[in-house]
Every structure is written in C-alpha cells, then in structure tokens.
Amino acid sequence: MAKLLVYGSLNIDYVYQMPHFVQPGETLLSLSRQEFAGGKGLNQAVALAKAGGNVYFEGAVGKNDGTLLLQVLKDNHIDLTFVKERDNMASGHTVIQVDPHGQNCILLYGGANHSHSKEEIDTCLSTFASGDYLVLQNETNDVAYIMAQAAAKGLKVCVNASPLNQAIFEMPLEKCEFIIVNEIEGSALVEEKEDADPYLILSKLKAKYPQSSFVLTLGSKGSLLSMAQQDAVIACKAYKVQAVDTTAAGDTFLGYFVEQISSNVEPQIALQRATAASAIAVTRKGAVPSIPAIEEVLAFVKEHGSTLVDKL
C-alpha cells in the first residue's frame, strides 16, 4: 500500500456572520462567530484518509493555538510525525465574513504554514520511497523545492494549482504525475480565456506538460480526466444535489481521486467516486465535517448510478 504524504496548510477558520461586509473606516458588530479547522492541506488529507488512504502530513502550527488542528488530524488517523509546533508563532488562519446572502470575503494569514525549512523537508522525504504519493497545494512555502526533490526520489507528485499566483508559474509542474486545476487555473497556465472550450484548455495543458495527467474540474458541469500519453478524455458529469456549502468540494474531490488512483482503481472509476464524494460534501455545512467516508460514497454511486459520459 502506497504511503500518501500531504505537504500543506493547516488553518483555523474564524467565521463571522455579518449584516454586511465591513466598509472602509467602519466598525461593525458581528452577529456570531464560529471557529473551524481548515486549510486546503488539512481538508485534502482528511479526504485521503476517509477514502481509505495511509496518510502522513508535513505541516506546522503555532504551539499556543494549534490544538484544534492537531486534534482533527488525530481523529482522522493521519500520521503527525512531521507536523511541527512552532514557539512564538501563530497558526495559519482566516478571517471570514459571511453576509445574509451567503456571500463571503476572506482574509488569509499564512503564519506557521510558511515556516518550513528545506532541512525539514529533506528529513521528511527521506522516509518515503519511489511509488509513494505526495499531494501539494500552494498555501505553504518552498512548494517548488519539495516538488522537485520528491520527483527525483520517484514519488508520484500530485499538485492542486491553487491558490493561483505567480509562484505556480515558477514550479516545475512538468515533474508532476497529476495536475488538478479548475477552468480559471487551467486557462491561466496555457494563457487561454477562462471561458474557452474546456477541451481546448485540456489539449493545451497536455501539449505543454506531456508527461503529466490532468484533471480539469468544471464546477456544476462535472470534470474531465486526461491520462498522460493517452488521447482519450474521460468525462464525468456532476451529480444533481441540493448544495448548502461548497467549501470543501474541490478538496474532497482531489483527496478521493488521488487515494483511489494510488489504490490502483481504474481512472474512470476513481473519477466517478471522487465526483460522488464531492456531491455528498456540498450537501452538508462545514469543511472537514462534510467529507464522507468511502462506504457512504460507494453506496451513493450504487444508488444514483454512474455519471460517466462520452462528452460533457
């Protein structure tokens, strides 16, 4: 069984219900405040674990405020050997305003997520071997470094090119086994319009990075999968469900897809199960609490059927 290493972010989400977004110069009383464990790295690690993976995490939290984040990892049986507790440093966190219409605005503070040294990265990677998987996002420091070092060791690198900024374009993406992008991220990587035909975006991505496989997610329309050095494109429509919170949909999808691929599940089946997992997640509030276990996903697919199609 392949080991699955997530090098990623651990954030505390402070969510404020507001009568409206705070305006410049305004002081506004919030209606309520809630605190959640979050971060793309944490969400994806939990999804990998709930899909059945043997998951390890490399990350960092503040010693004084990281208890919630560490507990979520423990509760989901994720190995904490490479998670550091930093003195005199706060954990990464977000301040999220939510208005009465459900719209939000987010302030992100990187904190301990950006405190990793190359020596810590090297020590962590020394315990993994060729054939293991590394899952990356763009919410920590030195992502390009760990990407290159892991690929050199023969790890199968899977990157979620989010959040999209200049650092993404400086990463050695050609070393990645899987690149997972949405329409905005995919179009930016190939200098194409966001509303371009997704099949065009996918073909340009394949031309630019021929050694990589791609998953292009298209929101409510579904997703496309193109395996490296194969012409066929696998298409999967999204399930029609009543969404109440889409916060962790993409992270749930990615975690399930990578775990299933690592378990030698056929790519089209992995895509179908990832689609089902994200559909379940959006019907529930919260990020981590919304991520389903594999048994529920399998039952969902059995009940609702396949959404694999010839073309979206």
Side-chain angles (χ1 to χ4, degrees):
M1 184 178 186
K3 294 181 181 178
L4 306 175
L5 171 63
V6 178
Y7 175 65
S9 55
L10 296 159
N11 292 332
I12 303 169
D13 294 337
Y14 299 106
V15 181
Y16 295 83
Q17 297 293 328
M18 306 294 292
H20 59 260
F21 295 154
V22 177
Q23 302 301 305
E26 180 182 22
T27 299
L28 186 61
L29 182 66
S30 68
L31 304 175
S32 67
R33 190 190 90 154
Q34 294 174 289
E35 187 176 317
F36 301 101
K40 294 186 73 63
L42 177 64
N43 295 339
Q44 292 173 8
V46 171
L48 286 161
K50 288 197 171 184
N54 180 21
V55 186
Y56 296 73
F57 203 102
E58 183 178 8
V61 299
K63 192 168 186 177
N64 294 327
D65 65 356
T67 302
L68 171 65
L69 300 168
L70 297 178
Q71 190 60 52
V72 170
L73 294 175
K74 291 176 185 176
D75 289 346
N76 287 279
H77 310 292
I78 295 166
D79 190 290
L80 305 183
T81 302
F82 306 106
V83 178
K84 305 297 184 182
E85 293 184 76
R86 308 294 195 198
D87 290 317
N88 304 315
M89 184 178 293
S91 297
H93 63 260
T94 61
V95 177
I96 305 174
Q97 296 182 59
V98 182
D99 73 10
H101 305 290
Q103 296 297 313
N104 63 44
C105 62
I106 302 173
L107 170 65
L108 173 63
Y109 172 71
N113 292 319
H114 292 271
S115 67
H116 302 282
S117 69
K118 289 184 171 65
E119 290 76 17
E120 288 172 340
I121 290 171
D122 291 342
T123 298
C124 176
L125 287 178
S126 69
T127 66
F128 294 86
S130 178
D132 290 334
Y133 282 71
L134 171 64
V135 175
L136 301 170
Q137 330 81 39
N138 189 30
E139 292 186 342
T140 50
N141 65 298
D142 285 327
V143 175
Y145 178 80
I146 192 172
M147 183 181 290
Q149 296 300 108
K153 285 177 61 67
L155 273 71
K156 297 182 178 182
V157 180
C158 307
V159 63
N160 177 203
S162 177
L164 184 68
N165 57 30
Q166 186 56 38
I168 293 290
F169 297 92
E170 297 168 1
M171 294 178 187
L173 297 178
E174 70 279 358
K175 298 181 183 295
C176 295
E177 184 89 3
F178 282 94
I179 301 174
I180 297 94
V181 291
N182 61 23
E183 290 168 286
I184 296 173
E185 296 151 358
S187 60
L189 285 176
V190 294
E191 299 180 345
E192 189 55 74
K193 295 179 180 178
E194 291 179 10
D195 60 353
D197 186 317
Y199 285 88
L200 173 63
I201 294 172
L202 194 58
S203 67
K204 289 192 171 185
L205 287 168
K206 286 171 61 68
K208 187 173 182 179
Y209 305 105
Q211 301 305 312
S212 301
S213 298
F214 285 90
V215 179
L216 179 61
T217 60
L218 306 168
S220 61
K221 290 179 287 187
S223 58
L224 300 174
L225 168 62
S226 178
M227 300 297 291
Q229 301 175 338
Q230 293 185 17
D231 294 331
V233 174
I234 301 169
C236 190
K237 292 170 62 178
Y239 286 98
K240 293 183 179 180
V241 295
Q242 184 63 48
V244 298
D245 186 349
T246 62
T247 305
D251 296 332
T252 300
F253 178 99
L254 181 146
Y256 260 84
F257 178 79
V258 172
E259 194 286 327
Q260 294 290 285
I261 288 291
S262 76
S263 298
N264 298 315
V265 172
E266 289 294 323
Q268 65 270 24
I269 302 302
L271 188 68
Q272 179 69 83
R273 291 175 180 173
T275 301
S278 63
I280 295 169
V282 302
T283 65
R284 301 167 176 168
K285 290 186 178 181
V288 168
S290 73
I291 301 172
I294 183 62
E295 295 80 9
E296 186 177 1
V297 171
L298 296 177
F300 183 94
V301 174
K302 184 176 181 179
E303 178 182 354
H304 295 276
S306 172
T307 54
L308 292 167
V309 293
D310 292 333
K311 189 171 183 177
L312 292 181

